[in-house]
Amino acid sequence: MSYPLATPAQLVQAANAWQESPPERSLQGAIVQAVVAAMLIALRLAPAAYLLAMMAVALWPQWQWLAARMQDGSDNPLGLLAAAALLGLALWHAPSALRQPLRLRWLVCAGALFVLAVLSQHQLPALASALLALLSVVCLWLAVRPSTLAALPIMGLTVLALPLIASLQFYAGYPLRVAVAEVSRWLLVPFFNVSRTGAALQVDGQWILVDAACSGVQMAWWGYATACISALLLQLTNRRFVLRLPLVGLLVLVGNIARNAVLVALQADGQVLAFWLHEGIGLLALLLVCLGIWWHMAQGSQTQGATCLAPAPQRANPYQASAIAIVLAIGSLAAWSQLSNSAQSTTTVPHSASPSYLEAPSHWQGERLRPLALSAVEARFAQQFPGRIERLTNGTDTLIWRHVQQPTRMLHPAADCFRAMGYRISQEQLSDKDGQVWRCFIAEINGQRFKVCEIIQNADGQHFSDTSAWYWAALLGQSQAPWQAWTVVSAL
């Protein structure tokens, strides 16, 4: 006796029949119901599962870069919280997601982003390429998500899952700190004699640095993460979520300015604030901002009822099978192309020498310098650095000298480099040495303490204590090449 194979439509009809009128509780009935459910799930998720497998293989360079960046310590690990929120959201809604019809437009979007991510691996910065890779995976999940979950908050959490704090501090940190310092100056003028130079305030003769922590980048991360999570919990629509975002940014800006003004006022007499008081004021401001954002997102929202969990009936699309086949074929072609390129690329193109060669300095403050060998990490970094890196010593201090001809993100702040090597950074402040303002901090590891100071200067004597300030001045033509960056490390 032979049994005809069931069509997908018959399987769907059978599964619905099992759900509406389940058979008597028996082992045989349970096995049959489980088999029918498994076959139905496999049919629904086969295109998405195949594309997910292609993403895992073809986008391996992006996954490898993300894992390395998350572990090297050079960035704040806030992105892991957003990634955990996305994973928890997917797992929590997995049972209902398996009952959703496959949304073709999100599947096509996932395939298109997948192809762009593969093509961007050698064309775009690693962070931008990783963003495309993450969005392609998230769009794949959006194709089967419950209808109560809006897409834009999920994509917002995807962006926040990236290790982007250090990059935002580099590119946007200085303009934000200048804006915060200027508004803080307006607020403090009635009470103190205040002037501003760059991102530093001189209050009654006391220099106070508006450092990276006061730029508001981390507060903005927490603010927008709160907005995305609130929208998902309150089941806001995409339109309501977008309309509420401008005030989210305003709340973050006001909260950061208020925090900075209070901290500057408390330090105006030259007293160093206790660590617990400094951090407590920052945490209180952050808490008030996040509560304000939650309240703002909740205004006028009404949580959808349970009936919204059932997807609206959808008309059959006669081109759905063809579209899915095209998406999967393009995904396969992109994956095969990536694997072929990976197998062929076995050599590394060396970095070309700078057209304007400059000898490394031989003296420092009247003392003769001798070269030191670069560490293994420094040597690997120097191979990609668009300039020169030398490690020198005068017998007491260690000096890292970097020379560049153009604005570059790879001229990292020293604090980021030390964090990446496992050091704990504290006591960041400005220090005046022979009329030049240096940026200094204390680096600690395994009981050893070092004072690290850095400055960037050009041939005209113009100097910068802030890497982000130098980058914008160089990019806008306000400072001329070449530039030399000095980092002096002294044991304490």
Side-chain angles (χ1 to χ4, degrees):
M1 183 179 294
S2 62
Y3 297 93
L5 293 175
T7 64
Q10 291 172 335
L11 284 174
V12 173
Q13 183 179 4
N16 292 332
W18 281 108
Q19 293 176 356
E20 294 174 0
S21 56
E24 298 181 357
R25 295 183 179 273
S26 64
L27 179 61
Q28 181 180 6
I31 293 176
V32 172
Q33 188 174 10
V35 169
V36 172
M39 294 179 68
L40 179 60
I41 292 172
L43 282 171
R44 284 176 175 172
L45 300 184
Y50 178 78
L51 197 56
L52 182 62
M54 293 298 98
M55 290 176 178
V57 175
L59 301 180
W60 177 250
Q62 282 94 329
W63 310 140
Q64 192 175 29
W65 179 85
L66 279 172
R69 180 67 180 271
M70 290 291 189
Q71 297 175 6
D72 65 9
S74 63
D75 208 336
N76 196 302
L78 289 177
L80 294 176
L81 297 179
L86 284 172
L87 181 60
L89 186 70
L91 294 177
W92 180 262
H93 290 281
S96 57
L98 295 177
R99 299 193 296 269
Q100 301 295 319
L102 191 64
R103 298 177 177 86
L104 180 60
R105 61 178 180 177
W106 285 109
L107 184 64
V108 172
C109 183
L113 287 171
F114 171 43
V115 174
L116 290 176
V118 171
L119 298 177
S120 70
Q121 288 176 2
H122 302 291
Q123 307 297 328
L124 294 180
L127 187 63
S129 183
L131 174 61
L132 292 174
L134 280 178
L135 287 176
S136 67
V137 175
V138 169
C139 285
L140 196 59
W141 181 63
L142 291 176
V144 294
R145 80 187 189 283
S147 57
T148 54
L149 296 179
L152 291 183
I154 295 174
M155 300 184 80
L157 283 177
T158 305
V159 175
L160 295 175
L162 290 167
L164 43 71
I165 298 296
S167 296
L168 287 177
Q169 289 286 16
F170 185 90
Y171 291 113
Y174 182 72
L176 286 173
R177 282 153 48 202
V178 170
V180 169
E182 181 62 20
V183 178
S184 299
R185 185 185 69 83
W186 295 346
L187 296 175
L188 295 171
V189 160
F191 311 99
F192 305 95
N193 181 18
V194 187
S195 61
R196 180 184 64 83
T197 301
L201 293 172
Q202 191 175 32
V203 185
D204 290 343
Q206 174 74 23
W207 280 105
I208 299 176
L209 174 66
V210 180
D211 58 10
C214 295
S215 67
V217 169
Q218 293 190 35
M219 183 178 285
W221 189 97
W222 282 106
Y224 284 104
T226 302
C228 292
I229 294 174
S230 300
L232 292 171
L233 293 177
L234 297 169
Q235 298 181 3
L236 298 182
T237 62
N238 288 322
R239 182 175 180 274
R240 287 189 173 184
F241 172 69
V242 171
L243 290 178
R244 284 163 168 75
L245 284 183
L247 190 55
V248 171
L250 182 60
L251 287 172
V252 170
L253 183 61
V254 171
N256 187 55
I257 291 173
R259 175 190 63 174
N260 186 73
V262 171
L263 291 174
V264 171
L266 292 176
Q267 299 177 75
D269 59 356
Q271 297 293 327
V272 178
L273 288 183
F275 176 79
W276 65 268
L277 180 58
H278 188 283
E279 295 300 313
I281 292 173
L283 289 176
L284 178 61
L286 177 62
L287 177 61
L288 292 176
V289 167
C290 290
L291 288 176
I293 291 173
W294 169 267
W295 177 84
H296 170 59
M297 300 298 288
Q299 292 304 299
S301 65
Q302 295 181 354
T303 305
Q304 303 295 326
T307 55
C308 293
L309 292 176
Q314 296 185 357
R315 299 176 59 185
N317 185 349
Y319 303 103
Q320 180 171 355
S322 301
I324 291 177
I326 293 174
V327 170
L328 297 183
I330 294 176
S332 301
L333 181 62
W336 175 81
S337 174
Q338 168 61 23
L339 292 176
S340 301
N341 292 337
S342 300
Q344 294 174 3
S345 58
T346 58
T347 59
T348 302
V349 179
H351 179 73
S352 59
S354 173
S356 179
Y357 183 81
L358 181 68
E359 288 285 350
S362 58
H363 288 79
W364 170 256
Q365 295 182 345
E367 297 181 341
R368 186 171 182 82
L369 297 176
R370 58 183 178 87
L372 296 175
L374 296 177
S375 66
V377 175
E378 291 170 335
R380 287 196 299 270
F381 180 77
Q383 291 179 352
Q384 303 176 358
F385 186 71
R388 291 186 59 203
I389 300 178
E390 297 288 346
R391 195 162 175 257
L392 310 162
T393 182
N394 59 0
T396 304
D397 303 326
T398 300
L399 294 87
I400 293 90
W401 175 79
R402 293 172 289 176
H403 174 258
V404 294
Q405 294 279 348
Q406 59 187 9
T408 173
R409 171 68 176 92
M410 298 190 72
L411 190 61
H412 300 130
D416 290 352
C417 299
F418 275 81
R419 286 193 187 97
M421 293 186 290
Y423 287 81
R424 178 179 174 271
I425 306 301
S426 62
Q427 301 181 32
E428 294 190 57
Q429 59 184 349
L430 296 179
S431 177
D432 193 331
K433 298 181 179 180
D434 300 327
Q436 294 182 337
V437 180
W438 292 62
R439 186 183 185 90
C440 300
F441 58 88
I442 303 299
E444 303 179 52
I445 189 172
N446 299 329
Q448 296 179 307
R449 301 176 74 245
F450 301 89
K451 182 177 182 180
V452 183
C453 296
E454 64 175 336
I455 194 171
I456 303 172
Q457 56 189 11
N458 65 3
D460 298 331
Q462 188 181 23
H463 58 274
F464 302 88
S465 58
D466 186 275
T467 308
S468 181
W470 160 79
Y471 177 82
W472 282 104
L475 193 66
L476 297 175
Q478 299 172 1
S479 180
Q480 301 302 317
W483 298 277
Q484 300 180 68
W486 290 92
T487 304
V488 183
V489 184
S490 306
L492 296 178

